[in-house]
Amino acid sequence: MSLVLDPAAQDLLFREARTANTFTDEPVTEDQVQAIYDLVKYGPTAFNQSPLRVVLVRSAEARQRLVKHMSEGNQPKTATAPLVAILAADNEFHEELPELFPHFPQAKDAFFAERPVREHSAVLNAALQAAYFIVGVRAAGLAAGPMTGLDFAGVQKEFLDDDHTPLMVVNIGRPGENAWFPRSPRLSFDEVVTTV
């Protein structure tokens, strides 16, 4: 069976898409970021909880504050990417559930009254949304460089608060010279999928 999505779109989003390590200096506009969000916000999450929060790092001062929390190998690309996004999980997402899940507004208290339950759900569902975000960046014709090589506690203290858990940092822009490492292998269908 073939996929319904056009092969060129499949390549753009998956087969040819790569994690960029260098970027041009072409800016990433607010309109582009808005378009990315307006696409990826429809990706499913449990109870439509939508816990992903995004901090866009644009100013030189904020960039310096972030770079010092990145691992050594990630510092140069974070320092030079046109736009950097900190993706985080909102552990108080349940406050929005009466609006986001109106057919069962009691879900806020019935399922998410306890903080540890919320934290687990927030991280899982925000990670799903982070994947959607990366695909959305690709759909905008941009390259994403998602990274988890960072001081999470430092990023949280510098840019977030105790109600937000940092998940990753994503460099965004048009790929520059020598942007790609060689493609790494992937597991085969039979190594991943079991039928019972």
Side-chain angles (χ1 to χ4, degrees), residues 114-172:
E114 296 180 17
R115 175 72 180 231
V117 173
R118 286 198 309 275
E119 288 178 352
H120 175 78
S121 190
V123 166
L124 174 64
N125 285 278
L128 279 173
Q129 289 185 284
Y132 305 145
F133 183 84
I134 292 166
V135 173
V137 168
R138 294 171 174 179
L142 300 169
M147 301 169 294
T148 56
L150 56 111
D151 171 7
F152 285 90
V155 168
Q156 182 176 27
K157 183 176 181 182
E158 193 83 41
F159 292 95
L160 303 167
D161 58 33
D162 291 340
D163 290 331
H164 294 83
T165 302
L167 301 174
M168 66 183 68
V169 168
V170 182
N171 294 326
I172 304 168

Side-chain angles (χ1 to χ4, degrees), residues 2-85:
S2 63
L3 300 173
V4 174
L5 189 65
D6 177 79
Q10 295 173 37
D11 288 343
L12 177 71
L13 299 179
F14 296 102
R15 284 191 290 263
E16 298 298 325
R18 307 286 289 284
T19 295
N21 294 291
T22 67
F23 297 89
T24 70
D25 58 2
E26 182 180 334
V28 177
T29 68
E30 289 296 322
D31 287 345
Q32 288 172 303
V33 176
Q34 179 75 50
I36 291 165
Y37 176 73
D38 286 340
L39 175 66
V40 304
K41 69 184 178 184
Y42 295 108
T45 57
F47 294 93
N48 196 35
Q49 63 189 248
S50 307
L52 182 70
R53 301 296 179 264
V54 181
V55 177
L56 297 177
V57 180
R58 287 198 181 273
S59 73
E61 179 270 332
R63 182 76 58 110
Q64 289 176 346
R65 289 170 37 219
L66 176 60
V67 166
K68 70 181 182 181
H69 296 292
M70 303 304 296
S71 66
E72 186 176 339
N74 290 334
Q75 288 179 356
K77 49 193 167 187
T78 302
T80 58
L83 180 63
V84 182

